[in-house]
């Protein structure tokens, strides 16, 4: 039996409130808060490009962990992630999975995908190297292409020839946006200060595990988080797209509480648009999506 009762006064009050919202240009649907989820399509900074809030990394231990699944197992995992709502797949030329990406995304709606890849060296013919990504992935374009694993100060100047090649590829619509993945604080600072990057892939977790430190060394085990957070604010002020990585501490966060804490930080930061996590099983996909949804619900409460 429905015990809900509407009085004339209550009806008039609710109608008046609704009319006020509409008069202010706010629909009744817009007035209700919308719960964020792990697979929402979010906008990457000022690029206008959309991607899922949680992405799948394909380079755990340089991709050898995913490579160990075998090609069929890897393809199955990519398709499973996609079926759960993940549309962002993070790749790189030196990952052991690089040559499998084209077949792995075959049959998926290309226009729904956000494929990010990276180049970690200065090839003699940069355009040929970028075209190799298109051919390997069997696609007309790569959504985002990054300078990879940068640790050196002054890289926007010393890598200018490569950066100019990215710009040319963007003009030819071979890539939609470009940026950098940094692995030291000097490189991160110079990237934030430079006008060239549109996207930053940044190591972010509250434990400081494998985050960018003051030395030009990509593999520092633990660093202070404050200096990285300062650079993230600069990036946001400039409208940069920011993707967080090392959400599970380079695979070291075996305690679920550590993973929860890291995701909670990333999801609470307006500077971070999305995160990427390397998966090796369907169970890990499920766990990360569920945990992210739990965190987002906590933050909304």
């Amino acid at each position: 039996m429905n015990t809900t009762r509407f009085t004339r006064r209550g009806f008039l009050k609710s109608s008046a409130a609704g009319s006020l919202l509409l008069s202010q240009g706010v629909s009744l649907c817009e007035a209700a808060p919308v719960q964020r989820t792990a697979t929402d399509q979010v906008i990457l900074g000022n690029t206008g490009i959309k991607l899922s809030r949680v992405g799948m990394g394909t380079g755990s231990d340089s991709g050898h962990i995913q490579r160990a699944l075998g090609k069929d197992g890897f393809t199955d995992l990519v398709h499973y992630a996609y079926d759960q709502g993940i549309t962002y797949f993070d790749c790189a030329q030196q990952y052991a999975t690089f040559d499998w990406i084209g077949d792995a995304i075959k049959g998926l709606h290309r226009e729904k995908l956000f494929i990010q890849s990276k180049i970690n060296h200065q090839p003699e013919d940069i355009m040929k190297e970028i075209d190799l990504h298109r051919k390997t992935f069997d696609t007309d374009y790569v959504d985002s292409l990054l300078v990879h694993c940068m640790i050196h100060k002054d890289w926007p100047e010393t890598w200018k020839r490569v950066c100019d090649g990215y710009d040319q590829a963007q003009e030819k619509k071979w890539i939609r946006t470009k940026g950098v993945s940094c692995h030291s604080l000097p490189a991160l600072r110079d990237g934030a200060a430079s006008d060239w990057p549109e996207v930053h892939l940044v190591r972010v977790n509250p434990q400081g595990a494998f985050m960018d430190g003051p030395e030009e060394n990509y593999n520092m085990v633990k660093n202070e988080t404050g200096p990285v957070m300062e650079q993230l604010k600069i990036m946001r002020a400039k409208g940069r797209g920011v993707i967080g990585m090392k959400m599970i501490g380079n695979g070291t966060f075996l305690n679920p509480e550590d993973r929860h804490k890291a995701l909670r930080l990333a999801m609470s930061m307006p500077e971070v648009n999305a995160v990427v996590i390397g998966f090796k099983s369907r169970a890990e996909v499920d766990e990360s999506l569920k945990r992210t949804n739990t965190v987002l619900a906590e933050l909304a409460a």
Side-chain angles (χ1 to χ4, degrees):
M1 177 179 178
N2 188 348
T3 59
T4 303
R5 298 177 63 248
F6 291 96
T7 66
R8 181 174 182 274
R9 178 178 297 178
F11 173 77
L12 291 175
K13 285 178 66 178
S14 62
S15 298
S19 297
L20 178 61
L21 288 170
L22 291 172
S23 70
Q24 294 174 341
V26 179
S27 74
L28 296 181
C29 290
E30 290 173 332
V34 177
Q35 176 61 49
R36 296 188 298 162
T37 73
T39 55
D40 287 337
Q41 289 291 298
V42 299
I43 299 176
L44 188 59
N46 286 349
T47 68
I49 300 172
K50 292 184 177 182
L51 69 164
S52 54
R53 194 185 305 278
V54 172
M56 174 180 168
T58 65
S60 303
D61 189 21
S62 297
H64 294 294
I65 288 177
Q66 284 81 19
R67 187 87 181 186
L69 299 173
K71 188 174 182 179
D72 289 344
F74 175 71
T75 298
D76 176 78
L77 188 59
V78 167
H79 280 247
Y80 181 77
Y82 179 83
D83 289 342
Q84 308 318 302
I86 292 175
T87 59
Y88 160 33
F89 296 93
D90 197 272
C91 319
Q93 188 169 348
Q94 81 272 26
Y95 291 170
T97 53
F98 180 71
D99 59 337
W100 285 356
I101 300 298
D103 286 338
I105 64 174
K106 193 171 293 182
L108 305 182
H109 294 285
R110 178 62 184 93
E111 68 278 4
K112 294 183 179 180
L113 298 178
F114 175 84
I115 305 296
Q116 178 165 271
S117 194
K118 318 175 198 76
I119 297 175
N120 72 338
H121 60 292
Q122 301 191 57
E124 183 176 344
D125 188 340
I126 181 62
M127 294 301 289
K128 181 178 180 180
E129 208 79 357
I130 294 173
D131 194 32
L132 174 64
H133 283 70
R134 301 196 310 149
K135 291 176 178 175
T136 302
F137 298 165
D138 192 21
T139 183
D140 292 332
Y141 61 92
V142 176
D143 295 280
S144 174
L145 191 65
L146 307 182
V147 170
H148 193 197
C149 201
M150 182 53 64
I151 63 172
H152 300 299
K153 181 178 172 58
D154 300 324
W155 68 265
E157 291 76 34
T158 58
W159 280 59
K160 187 177 185 307
R161 181 179 61 82
V162 173
C163 293
D164 287 346
Y166 280 44
D167 291 340
Q168 184 181 349
Q170 194 171 21
E171 290 174 4
K172 291 170 67 71
K173 302 187 186 304
W174 286 9
I175 62 176
R176 299 176 68 194
T177 191
K178 86 277 181 166
V180 63
S181 163
C182 289
H183 288 65
S184 81
L185 197 54
L188 190 72
R189 285 176 172 148
D190 282 356
S194 171
D195 291 332
W196 183 79
E198 297 171 345
V199 176
H200 297 267
L201 183 60
V202 184
R203 301 187 289 186
V204 178
N205 60 69
Q207 297 91 331
F210 294 91
M211 282 180 64
D212 297 350
E215 299 179 20
E216 294 184 355
N217 182 342
Y218 74 93
N219 207 27
M220 297 293 290
V221 174
K222 187 173 177 62
N223 281 300
E224 296 295 325
T225 62
V228 171
M229 301 305 175
E230 292 174 7
Q231 297 308 306
L232 289 174
K233 294 183 185 302
I234 293 172
M235 294 170 189
R236 176 172 169 78
K238 292 185 173 184
R240 306 287 174 78
V242 175
I243 300 171
M245 60 174 167
K246 303 303 179 191
M247 289 299 104
I248 56 173
N250 202 37
T252 62
F253 292 169
L254 301 181
N255 187 331
E257 291 182 5
D258 283 323
R259 299 197 293 276
H260 192 92
K261 188 186 299 184
L263 282 168
R264 185 180 174 91
L265 173 69
M267 295 298 134
S268 70
M269 297 179 65
E271 296 85 359
V272 177
N273 305 129
V275 299
V276 60
I277 303 172
F279 303 124
K280 63 178 182 295
S281 70
R282 291 186 173 199
E284 289 186 351
V285 173
D286 294 341
E287 196 261 359
S288 292
L289 295 182
K290 181 179 180 180
R291 189 171 300 283
T292 302
N293 286 334
T294 298
V295 163
L296 290 169
E298 291 173 355
L299 292 171

